[in-house]
Amino acid sequence: MVHVYNCHPFASQQIVQAEQEPGLVCCGGGVLFVESAGGCKIEAFQLEAEGCPLICRFATMGTVQSILHSEIGDYLVTIEEKNNVTYLRTYTNWRYQVAEKTRVGVRLLGHFLRGSSMRGAPKEQMEIIEIPLFERPLCVACCGVTGDLLVGCPKSLVLFSLKRQALNDKLSILDFERCLILHLPGLSPQQVAICSGYIALQAELEVLVVKLERLPGSTPTQKSADQKSQDHCLVPKDMITGAEHNNEIEVRKEGLAGHLDQDDFFIFPKHQELLGDRAKDCGVKVSLEWTGMESEARGILAITYILYRRFAPDFFQGCTVEDTRLHSLQFHPVFTSNQEVCAEGGRGVEPTCVFCFFSLPNTGYVYSVRGGVEMVSVYQYPEKAQQAVLTDLFLHIITKNALQCFSVRCSAVAARAEDPYIDTTMKACPPITMEVCALRIQLFIGLKALCHDRHHIVLLTAADVETREDTERAQEITHRTSSMAVWHCHAGGSCQDETAGRVPHERGGCLSCNAQR
């Protein structure tokens, strides 16, 4: 049962004026980044200021297909395409573009210009770092604790550690080091997530969560004979022979019952949920390839399986593949009040709890993965959800024409993890098993994207309008009008007057400020 309360979790709304029609949006560190649709330009807006003023704008080197911001390091990472080639790039020191004429430096990963241009006083310039890959990048994720970068490729995951390189006494710049490759035979990720050593990947109907950790009682100098023999091997032996790859495919196709040779049948894997130690029996073998410096302790790094879940589509109920495809994979760390003081720098502090969220079009799942894996909440959506975001206070989802808010139990899990005896006569905490509540359903026109930063929710809308002249010509020419709405969330989620939350699209007022295509 889901209880619905007429509580409005938003305090205000602002419409962001973009120079061109927005295509992709992301936010982080109190800044909203907007990529122009069909163009190669990114605009940055200040979310905390009244009216969301423009901070700066800068051009990209290709057409942006994906954009993500990391608050640790304050850098942007993009997947771009140019001349039918896909590139992975990061943009650092982008705030120097406020002057709009500040020079821009382009370099490869790990390469620095140590010539005369770097001598003397530090030069203020934005840097674009090219990150070479053996495979085409499909998706990226940034760690909210360390700032490390995880890149999903068709057959592997590549992990880059964030480093700050000191060029001289006055100048230091950000850089990345490719430290680890996780080979995934037979599984191509569509979304990835990383947080404090936990790595999650999501395919169309599968979710796998693992943890990178160092073996207890090991030292960097302790290596077995097999590890020493493969010190200079780029790829494990089973990846070369392909024998393990075939075995994994057989294991994952569980329950086929000898129908593999019959072309008249379509066989779908059955539903499966494996938690903890049982997750290693999922049939997905993750092979590690260490690519960091030789001084690192690569011999003591191990993979621990945390969670594996596979969904089986029920086509007898009339659903399609689009109705069962997973989306919105996310890690959500929760820090206690004491940790927040220590983690002001945002680096090197372990969160109290780490939650993994992923969603089907009609159902969302929240798992606690730190200190033992368990399911926390299951959300049943009244409509098909396009995207969902888990925050400290709410779960926000968008459908085609509505923004919906649900309560979450993450804070209750973190409070009990810090103090198991919290329920006393002086203070109490809601139980983790308490039913979730739907707080509000807010109507919008043409919702396309949703992102979250601190106490702000950013919505990208695009309304389709067909003119009378186009109808008479018998040609369906659609004029798309886009807008971005920034909502400020109440920290306590208190009830608001219903008139304050009235839909701003009445009479189409907020849609007239953007250019038409």
Side-chain angles (χ1 to χ4, degrees), residues 245-293:
H245 173 69
N246 296 332
N247 293 335
E248 290 161 6
I249 295 178
E250 295 295 333
V251 173
R252 292 179 63 199
K253 292 183 177 179
E254 185 178 339
L256 301 187
H259 293 294
L260 295 178
D261 56 344
Q262 299 185 12
D263 297 333
D264 297 335
F265 295 91
F266 291 96
I267 307 298
F268 297 97
K270 65 180 182 181
H271 178 82
Q272 194 174 26
E273 181 186 28
L274 302 175
L275 305 180
D277 294 336
R278 296 180 55 199
K280 63 183 179 181
D281 300 326
C282 64
V284 181
K285 182 179 179 182
V286 181
S287 302
L288 298 182
E289 178 187 350
W290 184 261
T291 60
M293 301 297 292

Short mmCIF file of all heavy atoms in Angstrom, two decimals, residues 245-293:
data_model
loop_
_atom_site.label_atom_id
_atom_site.label_comp_id
_atom_site.label_asym_id
_atom_site.label_seq_id
_atom_site.Cartn_x
_atom_site.Cartn_y
_atom_site.Cartn_z
N HIS A 245 34.83 -17.67 -21.45
CA HIS A 245 33.72 -16.88 -21.99
C HIS A 245 32.56 -17.77 -22.39
O HIS A 245 31.40 -17.48 -22.12
CB HIS A 245 34.22 -16.07 -23.18
CG HIS A 245 33.12 -15.35 -23.92
ND1 HIS A 245 32.45 -14.28 -23.38
CD2 HIS A 245 32.57 -15.56 -25.14
CE1 HIS A 245 31.54 -13.85 -24.24
NE2 HIS A 245 31.61 -14.63 -25.31
N ASN A 246 32.85 -18.88 -23.02
CA ASN A 246 31.79 -19.81 -23.42
C ASN A 246 31.12 -20.43 -22.21
O ASN A 246 29.91 -20.64 -22.20
CB ASN A 246 32.36 -20.89 -24.33
CG ASN A 246 32.90 -20.31 -25.64
OD1 ASN A 246 32.42 -19.29 -26.10
ND2 ASN A 246 33.90 -20.96 -26.21
N ASN A 247 31.91 -20.76 -21.19
CA ASN A 247 31.33 -21.35 -20.00
C ASN A 247 30.41 -20.39 -19.28
O ASN A 247 29.37 -20.77 -18.76
CB ASN A 247 32.45 -21.81 -19.05
CG ASN A 247 33.25 -22.96 -19.63
OD1 ASN A 247 32.75 -23.72 -20.47
ND2 ASN A 247 34.50 -23.09 -19.21
N GLU A 248 30.79 -19.11 -19.25
CA GLU A 248 29.96 -18.11 -18.57
C GLU A 248 28.63 -17.94 -19.26
O GLU A 248 27.59 -17.77 -18.63
CB GLU A 248 30.70 -16.78 -18.51
CG GLU A 248 31.89 -16.81 -17.56
CD GLU A 248 32.85 -15.69 -17.83
OE1 GLU A 248 32.54 -14.85 -18.68
OE2 GLU A 248 33.92 -15.67 -17.21
N ILE A 249 28.63 -18.00 -20.59
CA ILE A 249 27.38 -17.87 -21.31
C ILE A 249 26.46 -19.04 -20.99
O ILE A 249 25.25 -18.88 -20.82
CB ILE A 249 27.65 -17.78 -22.83
CG1 ILE A 249 28.41 -16.49 -23.15
CG2 ILE A 249 26.35 -17.83 -23.61
CD1 ILE A 249 28.77 -16.35 -24.61
N GLU A 250 27.04 -20.23 -20.87
CA GLU A 250 26.23 -21.40 -20.55
C GLU A 250 25.64 -21.29 -19.15
O GLU A 250 24.50 -21.67 -18.90
CB GLU A 250 27.08 -22.67 -20.67
CG GLU A 250 27.56 -22.96 -22.09
CD GLU A 250 26.41 -23.27 -23.03
OE1 GLU A 250 25.37 -23.75 -22.55
OE2 GLU A 250 26.55 -23.01 -24.24
N VAL A 251 26.45 -20.78 -18.21
CA VAL A 251 25.96 -20.67 -16.84
C VAL A 251 24.86 -19.63 -16.74
O VAL A 251 23.86 -19.82 -16.05
CB VAL A 251 27.14 -20.31 -15.90
CG1 VAL A 251 26.63 -20.02 -14.50
CG2 VAL A 251 28.14 -21.46 -15.88
N ARG A 252 24.99 -18.52 -17.44
CA ARG A 252 24.01 -17.44 -17.33
C ARG A 252 22.69 -17.81 -17.97
O ARG A 252 21.64 -17.31 -17.61
CB ARG A 252 24.57 -16.17 -17.97
CG ARG A 252 25.73 -15.58 -17.21
CD ARG A 252 26.25 -14.34 -17.90
NE ARG A 252 25.23 -13.33 -17.93
CZ ARG A 252 25.24 -12.29 -18.78
NH1 ARG A 252 26.22 -12.16 -19.61
NH2 ARG A 252 24.28 -11.41 -18.73
N LYS A 253 22.71 -18.66 -18.97
CA LYS A 253 21.46 -19.12 -19.59
C LYS A 253 20.88 -20.27 -18.77
O LYS A 253 20.73 -21.39 -19.23
CB LYS A 253 21.71 -19.55 -21.03
CG LYS A 253 22.06 -18.39 -21.95
CD LYS A 253 22.23 -18.83 -23.37
CE LYS A 253 22.51 -17.66 -24.29
NZ LYS A 253 22.70 -18.08 -25.69
N GLU A 254 20.58 -19.97 -17.55
CA GLU A 254 20.11 -20.98 -16.62
C GLU A 254 18.65 -21.30 -16.90
O GLU A 254 17.83 -20.43 -17.14
CB GLU A 254 20.27 -20.46 -15.19
CG GLU A 254 19.93 -21.48 -14.13
CD GLU A 254 20.16 -20.92 -12.76
OE1 GLU A 254 20.92 -19.94 -12.67
OE2 GLU A 254 19.58 -21.44 -11.81
N GLY A 255 18.33 -22.56 -16.84
CA GLY A 255 16.95 -22.96 -17.01
C GLY A 255 16.51 -23.10 -18.43
O GLY A 255 15.30 -23.12 -18.71
N LEU A 256 17.41 -23.23 -19.42
CA LEU A 256 17.00 -23.36 -20.80
C LEU A 256 16.57 -24.79 -21.14
O LEU A 256 15.87 -25.01 -22.12
CB LEU A 256 18.16 -22.94 -21.73
CG LEU A 256 18.63 -21.50 -21.54
CD1 LEU A 256 19.63 -21.14 -22.62
CD2 LEU A 256 17.46 -20.53 -21.57
N ALA A 257 17.03 -25.77 -20.37
CA ALA A 257 16.54 -27.15 -20.45
C ALA A 257 16.69 -27.74 -21.84
O ALA A 257 15.78 -28.34 -22.39
CB ALA A 257 15.08 -27.21 -20.00
N GLY A 258 17.85 -27.56 -22.44
CA GLY A 258 18.16 -28.26 -23.67
C GLY A 258 17.53 -27.71 -24.92
O GLY A 258 17.51 -28.38 -25.95
N HIS A 259 16.98 -26.49 -24.91
CA HIS A 259 16.33 -25.91 -26.09
C HIS A 259 17.27 -25.01 -26.88
O HIS A 259 16.81 -24.23 -27.71
CB HIS A 259 15.10 -25.11 -25.67
CG HIS A 259 14.00 -25.96 -25.12
ND1 HIS A 259 13.31 -26.88 -25.88
CD2 HIS A 259 13.50 -26.05 -23.87
CE1 HIS A 259 12.40 -27.49 -25.12
NE2 HIS A 259 12.50 -27.00 -23.89
N LEU A 260 18.57 -25.07 -26.62
CA LEU A 260 19.50 -24.16 -27.29
C LEU A 260 19.59 -24.42 -28.77
O LEU A 260 19.92 -23.53 -29.54
CB LEU A 260 20.88 -24.28 -26.65
CG LEU A 260 20.98 -23.84 -25.19
CD1 LEU A 260 22.39 -24.06 -24.67
CD2 LEU A 260 20.59 -22.38 -25.02
N ASP A 261 19.31 -25.67 -29.21
CA ASP A 261 19.45 -26.01 -30.62
C ASP A 261 18.16 -25.88 -31.39
O ASP A 261 18.08 -26.29 -32.55
CB ASP A 261 20.00 -27.43 -30.76
CG ASP A 261 19.11 -28.45 -30.03
OD1 ASP A 261 18.29 -28.00 -29.21
OD2 ASP A 261 19.27 -29.66 -30.29
N GLN A 262 17.11 -25.36 -30.81
CA GLN A 262 15.83 -25.23 -31.48
C GLN A 262 15.61 -23.78 -31.85
O GLN A 262 15.54 -22.91 -31.00
CB GLN A 262 14.69 -25.73 -30.58
CG GLN A 262 14.84 -27.21 -30.21
CD GLN A 262 13.65 -27.71 -29.41
OE1 GLN A 262 12.64 -27.02 -29.35
NE2 GLN A 262 13.77 -28.89 -28.83
N ASP A 263 15.50 -23.54 -33.14
CA ASP A 263 15.32 -22.18 -33.62
C ASP A 263 13.88 -21.71 -33.56
O ASP A 263 13.59 -20.56 -33.84
CB ASP A 263 15.82 -22.07 -35.07
CG ASP A 263 17.31 -22.36 -35.18
OD1 ASP A 263 18.01 -22.14 -34.17
OD2 ASP A 263 17.74 -22.81 -36.25
N ASP A 264 12.97 -22.60 -33.22
CA ASP A 264 11.55 -22.23 -33.20
C ASP A 264 11.11 -21.62 -31.88
O ASP A 264 9.95 -21.28 -31.73
CB ASP A 264 10.69 -23.47 -33.48
CG ASP A 264 10.95 -24.05 -34.86
OD1 ASP A 264 11.39 -23.26 -35.73
OD2 ASP A 264 10.73 -25.25 -35.06
N PHE A 265 12.03 -21.52 -30.93
CA PHE A 265 11.66 -21.02 -29.61
C PHE A 265 12.51 -19.79 -29.27
O PHE A 265 13.67 -19.71 -29.65
CB PHE A 265 11.88 -22.09 -28.53
CG PHE A 265 10.98 -23.29 -28.67
CD1 PHE A 265 11.41 -24.39 -29.41
CD2 PHE A 265 9.73 -23.31 -28.10
CE1 PHE A 265 10.60 -25.50 -29.56
CE2 PHE A 265 8.92 -24.42 -28.23
CZ PHE A 265 9.34 -25.51 -28.96
N PHE A 266 11.88 -18.88 -28.54
CA PHE A 266 12.59 -17.74 -27.95
C PHE A 266 12.67 -18.01 -26.44
O PHE A 266 11.65 -18.06 -25.76
CB PHE A 266 11.85 -16.43 -28.21
CG PHE A 266 11.89 -16.01 -29.65
CD1 PHE A 266 10.83 -16.31 -30.49
CD2 PHE A 266 12.97 -15.32 -30.17
CE1 PHE A 266 10.85 -15.94 -31.81
CE2 PHE A 266 13.00 -14.95 -31.50
CZ PHE A 266 11.94 -15.26 -32.32
N ILE A 267 13.89 -18.17 -25.96
CA ILE A 267 14.10 -18.51 -24.57
C ILE A 267 14.59 -17.28 -23.82
O ILE A 267 15.54 -16.63 -24.23
CB ILE A 267 15.12 -19.65 -24.42
CG1 ILE A 267 14.71 -20.83 -25.29
CG2 ILE A 267 15.24 -20.06 -22.97
CD1 ILE A 267 13.37 -21.44 -24.92
N PHE A 268 13.91 -16.97 -22.70
CA PHE A 268 14.30 -15.83 -21.87
C PHE A 268 14.80 -16.33 -20.53
O PHE A 268 14.21 -17.25 -19.95
CB PHE A 268 13.11 -14.89 -21.65
CG PHE A 268 12.59 -14.27 -22.91
CD1 PHE A 268 11.50 -14.81 -23.56
CD2 PHE A 268 13.20 -13.15 -23.45
CE1 PHE A 268 11.02 -14.26 -24.73
CE2 PHE A 268 12.72 -12.59 -24.61
CZ PHE A 268 11.64 -13.14 -25.25
N PRO A 269 15.87 -15.76 -20.01
CA PRO A 269 16.36 -16.18 -18.68
C PRO A 269 15.31 -15.88 -17.62
O PRO A 269 14.54 -14.92 -17.71
CB PRO A 269 17.62 -15.33 -18.48
CG PRO A 269 18.01 -14.88 -19.85
CD PRO A 269 16.75 -14.75 -20.63
N LYS A 270 15.31 -16.70 -16.58
CA LYS A 270 14.34 -16.51 -15.52
C LYS A 270 14.80 -15.41 -14.57
O LYS A 270 15.96 -15.04 -14.54
CB LYS A 270 14.13 -17.81 -14.76
CG LYS A 270 15.36 -18.30 -14.01
CD LYS A 270 15.08 -19.58 -13.28
CE LYS A 270 16.29 -20.06 -12.48
NZ LYS A 270 16.03 -21.32 -11.78
N HIS A 271 13.85 -14.94 -13.79
CA HIS A 271 14.14 -13.91 -12.80
C HIS A 271 15.07 -14.47 -11.73
O HIS A 271 14.95 -15.62 -11.31
CB HIS A 271 12.86 -13.40 -12.16
CG HIS A 271 13.08 -12.37 -11.10
ND1 HIS A 271 13.28 -11.05 -11.38
CD2 HIS A 271 13.17 -12.49 -9.74
CE1 HIS A 271 13.47 -10.38 -10.26
NE2 HIS A 271 13.40 -11.23 -9.25
N GLN A 272 16.03 -13.62 -11.29
CA GLN A 272 17.02 -14.08 -10.33
C GLN A 272 17.48 -12.93 -9.47
O GLN A 272 17.72 -11.83 -9.96
CB GLN A 272 18.21 -14.71 -11.05
CG GLN A 272 19.15 -15.52 -10.17
CD GLN A 272 20.22 -16.23 -10.97
OE1 GLN A 272 20.57 -15.78 -12.06
NE2 GLN A 272 20.75 -17.31 -10.44
N GLU A 273 17.60 -13.18 -8.17
CA GLU A 273 18.13 -12.20 -7.21
C GLU A 273 19.12 -12.92 -6.30
O GLU A 273 18.76 -13.85 -5.58
CB GLU A 273 17.02 -11.57 -6.38
CG GLU A 273 17.53 -10.53 -5.40
CD GLU A 273 16.44 -10.01 -4.48
OE1 GLU A 273 15.48 -10.78 -4.22
OE2 GLU A 273 16.54 -8.86 -4.02
N LEU A 274 20.38 -12.47 -6.34
CA LEU A 274 21.45 -13.07 -5.55
C LEU A 274 22.09 -11.99 -4.70
O LEU A 274 22.57 -10.98 -5.24
CB LEU A 274 22.49 -13.73 -6.45
CG LEU A 274 21.98 -14.83 -7.39
CD1 LEU A 274 23.10 -15.30 -8.30
CD2 LEU A 274 21.40 -16.00 -6.61
N LEU A 275 22.12 -12.18 -3.39
CA LEU A 275 22.65 -11.19 -2.46
C LEU A 275 23.86 -11.76 -1.74
O LEU A 275 23.92 -12.95 -1.43
CB LEU A 275 21.58 -10.79 -1.43
CG LEU A 275 20.26 -10.27 -1.98
CD1 LEU A 275 19.31 -9.93 -0.82
CD2 LEU A 275 20.45 -9.08 -2.87
N GLY A 276 24.83 -10.89 -1.47
CA GLY A 276 25.99 -11.28 -0.69
C GLY A 276 26.86 -12.31 -1.40
O GLY A 276 27.18 -12.18 -2.59
N ASP A 277 27.25 -13.34 -0.66
CA ASP A 277 28.13 -14.37 -1.21
C ASP A 277 27.49 -15.14 -2.35
O ASP A 277 28.19 -15.70 -3.20
CB ASP A 277 28.54 -15.34 -0.10
CG ASP A 277 29.40 -14.67 0.97
OD1 ASP A 277 30.04 -13.64 0.64
OD2 ASP A 277 29.43 -15.16 2.11
N ARG A 278 26.18 -15.19 -2.39
CA ARG A 278 25.50 -15.91 -3.47
C ARG A 278 25.64 -15.20 -4.81
O ARG A 278 25.46 -15.82 -5.86
CB ARG A 278 24.02 -16.09 -3.13
CG ARG A 278 23.74 -16.94 -1.91
CD ARG A 278 22.25 -17.03 -1.68
NE ARG A 278 21.57 -17.53 -2.88
CZ ARG A 278 20.28 -17.36 -3.11
NH1 ARG A 278 19.53 -16.69 -2.25
NH2 ARG A 278 19.73 -17.84 -4.22
N ALA A 279 25.96 -13.91 -4.79
CA ALA A 279 26.04 -13.16 -6.04
C ALA A 279 27.18 -13.63 -6.94
O ALA A 279 27.14 -13.41 -8.15
CB ALA A 279 26.19 -11.66 -5.75
N LYS A 280 28.19 -14.29 -6.37
CA LYS A 280 29.29 -14.77 -7.20
C LYS A 280 28.88 -15.92 -8.10
O LYS A 280 29.62 -16.29 -9.02
CB LYS A 280 30.46 -15.20 -6.31
CG LYS A 280 30.15 -16.36 -5.40
CD LYS A 280 31.34 -16.68 -4.50
CE LYS A 280 31.00 -17.84 -3.56
NZ LYS A 280 32.14 -18.16 -2.66
N ASP A 281 27.71 -16.51 -7.87
CA ASP A 281 27.20 -17.59 -8.70
C ASP A 281 26.33 -17.09 -9.85
O ASP A 281 25.61 -17.86 -10.46
CB ASP A 281 26.38 -18.58 -7.85
CG ASP A 281 27.21 -19.20 -6.74
OD1 ASP A 281 28.42 -19.41 -6.97
OD2 ASP A 281 26.65 -19.48 -5.66
N CYS A 282 26.40 -15.79 -10.14
CA CYS A 282 25.55 -15.23 -11.19
C CYS A 282 26.03 -15.60 -12.58
O CYS A 282 25.29 -15.44 -13.56
CB CYS A 282 25.49 -13.70 -11.05
SG CYS A 282 27.07 -12.87 -11.28
N GLY A 283 27.26 -16.07 -12.73
CA GLY A 283 27.77 -16.44 -14.05
C GLY A 283 28.54 -15.34 -14.74
O GLY A 283 29.07 -15.55 -15.83
N VAL A 284 28.63 -14.15 -14.14
CA VAL A 284 29.40 -13.05 -14.71
C VAL A 284 30.75 -13.01 -14.01
O VAL A 284 30.85 -12.64 -12.83
CB VAL A 284 28.67 -11.70 -14.54
CG1 VAL A 284 29.49 -10.57 -15.15
CG2 VAL A 284 27.29 -11.76 -15.16
N LYS A 285 31.79 -13.39 -14.71
CA LYS A 285 33.12 -13.41 -14.13
C LYS A 285 33.84 -12.11 -14.45
O LYS A 285 34.06 -11.78 -15.61
CB LYS A 285 33.94 -14.59 -14.66
CG LYS A 285 35.32 -14.69 -14.04
CD LYS A 285 36.10 -15.86 -14.58
CE LYS A 285 37.49 -15.91 -13.94
NZ LYS A 285 38.29 -17.04 -14.49
N VAL A 286 34.21 -11.39 -13.42
CA VAL A 286 34.91 -10.12 -13.56
C VAL A 286 36.40 -10.37 -13.40
O VAL A 286 36.85 -10.86 -12.36
CB VAL A 286 34.41 -9.09 -12.54
CG1 VAL A 286 35.14 -7.76 -12.73
CG2 VAL A 286 32.91 -8.89 -12.66
N SER A 287 37.19 -10.06 -14.44
CA SER A 287 38.64 -10.23 -14.41
C SER A 287 39.30 -8.87 -14.27
O SER A 287 38.94 -7.92 -14.96
CB SER A 287 39.14 -10.93 -15.68
OG SER A 287 38.51 -12.18 -15.84
N LEU A 288 40.29 -8.78 -13.37
CA LEU A 288 40.98 -7.53 -13.10
C LEU A 288 42.29 -7.47 -13.88
O LEU A 288 43.03 -8.45 -13.95
CB LEU A 288 41.28 -7.39 -11.61
CG LEU A 288 40.08 -7.33 -10.66
CD1 LEU A 288 40.56 -7.14 -9.24
CD2 LEU A 288 39.12 -6.24 -11.05
N GLU A 289 42.55 -6.31 -14.45
CA GLU A 289 43.83 -6.02 -15.10
C GLU A 289 44.38 -4.73 -14.53
O GLU A 289 43.82 -3.66 -14.77
CB GLU A 289 43.67 -5.93 -16.61
CG GLU A 289 44.97 -5.58 -17.34
CD GLU A 289 44.76 -5.32 -18.82
OE1 GLU A 289 43.67 -5.60 -19.31
OE2 GLU A 289 45.71 -4.82 -19.47
N TRP A 290 45.45 -4.83 -13.76
CA TRP A 290 46.02 -3.65 -13.12
C TRP A 290 46.89 -2.90 -14.12
O TRP A 290 47.78 -3.47 -14.74
CB TRP A 290 46.83 -4.06 -11.90
CG TRP A 290 47.37 -2.89 -11.15
CD1 TRP A 290 48.62 -2.37 -11.22
CD2 TRP A 290 46.66 -2.09 -10.21
NE1 TRP A 290 48.74 -1.29 -10.39
CE2 TRP A 290 47.55 -1.09 -9.76
CE3 TRP A 290 45.36 -2.11 -9.72
CZ2 TRP A 290 47.18 -0.14 -8.83
CZ3 TRP A 290 44.99 -1.16 -8.79
CH2 TRP A 290 45.88 -0.19 -8.35
N THR A 291 46.63 -1.60 -14.27
CA THR A 291 47.40 -0.78 -15.21
C THR A 291 48.07 0.40 -14.54
O THR A 291 48.57 1.28 -15.22
CB THR A 291 46.48 -0.26 -16.33
OG1 THR A 291 45.44 0.53 -15.75
CG2 THR A 291 45.88 -1.41 -17.12
N GLY A 292 48.07 0.44 -13.20
CA GLY A 292 48.68 1.55 -12.49
C GLY A 292 50.19 1.43 -12.41
O GLY A 292 50.82 0.62 -13.08
N MET A 293 50.78 2.25 -11.57
CA MET A 293 52.22 2.24 -11.41
C MET A 293 52.67 0.95 -10.73
O MET A 293 51.93 0.32 -9.98
CB MET A 293 52.66 3.45 -10.57
CG MET A 293 52.25 4.79 -11.18
SD MET A 293 53.03 5.09 -12.78
CE MET A 293 54.73 5.29 -12.25
#
